[in-house]
Amino acid sequence: FVGDDPDPTDQGDGVDNDGDGEVDEAFGHGTHTAGLVALVAPGAQILTYRVLDADGTGDPYRVAEAIDDAVAAGAKVINLSFGVDGKLDSKVLKSSIKNAMRNEVVIVAAAGNVGTKRQYSPASEKEVLGVGATDAGNDQLADFSNYGKWTLVAAPGVDIVSTVPGGGFGAWSGTSMSTSIVSGEVALIRSFDPSCKRKKAIEVVGRASTKLSGRNRVERGMIDILRSLDQT
């Protein structure tokens, strides 16, 4: 959906597309997040759709197209490790999210990395499972993680090791990493119980979580994957 070709692998273009003085700073982001899904749910089949360029920029229409294609291809979980400040104002993207919901697809999205209570979308949409990041001790939110009741749970998000382009490994931090871990958790839940509906899968993730310490909170707490499987 970025290069308008059948190759979804991470690609750098050597251009500062977002004008922040850095070139291709998001190169490898997709590979890293996909690796975390595979780590948590190694039996999951991953459908790869590239909707952001190497600087991490994209547009809602492109995302909506990818969501529609993933739903049509039979996806059970959709990982959106990105977001924008504020409420979602794209009717096209909202329509695609609602279509995924009607088809019992769980959409998991990153809460954002600005350390604010302000809502980020699409994580704040009521149909979406929003995810924040815990710190290295995993007992409270990381300083950079967005938070609030619009964010359901949190997952590890600091110095998370996963795959990078070229066959190696690298440590990244962010709610993107946390989101991919939760997407893997949902994939496991639905593999344990293929009849598990979207709403129940989200409820299980929240119910199995444990309360966080610290001033900033999410609605439920830190995920507990084994506990969620026990409750499936």
Side-chain angles (χ1 to χ4, degrees), residues 5 21 31 35-36 122 191 214:
D5 58 40
T31 302
L36 290 172
S191 68

Side-chain angles (χ1 to χ4, degrees), residues 20 39 68 96 99 179:
D20 66 351
L39 174 69
D68 288 343
S96 293
N99 178 58
T179 300

Side-chain angles (χ1 to χ4, degrees), residues 6 14 20 65 87 124 130 149 156 159 180 204 211-212 230:
D20 66 351
E65 283 188 308
K87 293 293 289 181
S124 60
K149 284 189 172 295
D159 292 332
S180 300
V204 168
K211 190 175 181 180
L212 290 166
D230 285 340

Side-chain angles (χ1 to χ4, degrees), residues 30-96:
T31 302
H32 198 275
T33 54
L36 290 172
V37 174
L39 174 69
V40 178
Q45 179 183 1
I46 299 177
L47 304 172
T48 309
Y49 298 88
R50 188 163 67 101
V51 297
L52 304 180
D53 63 25
D55 282 324
T57 62
D59 64 76
Y61 183 76
R62 183 183 293 161
V63 175
E65 283 188 308
I67 290 175
D68 288 343
D69 274 17
V71 171
K76 301 301 181 184
V77 187
I78 293 178
N79 184 82
L80 303 179
S81 283
F82 51 79
V84 294
D85 190 2
K87 293 293 289 181
L88 191 63
D89 60 3
S90 168
K91 292 182 179 179
V92 173
L93 183 49
K94 280 187 175 183
S95 177
S96 293

Side-chain angles (χ1 to χ4, degrees), residues 139-169:
D139 61 348
Q140 62 183 359
L141 290 180
D143 290 340
F144 61 77
S145 177
N146 293 351
Y147 59 93
K149 284 189 172 295
W150 56 273
T151 305
L152 182 66
V153 293
V158 175
D159 292 332
I160 306 301
V161 176
S162 184
T163 48
V164 295
F169 296 89

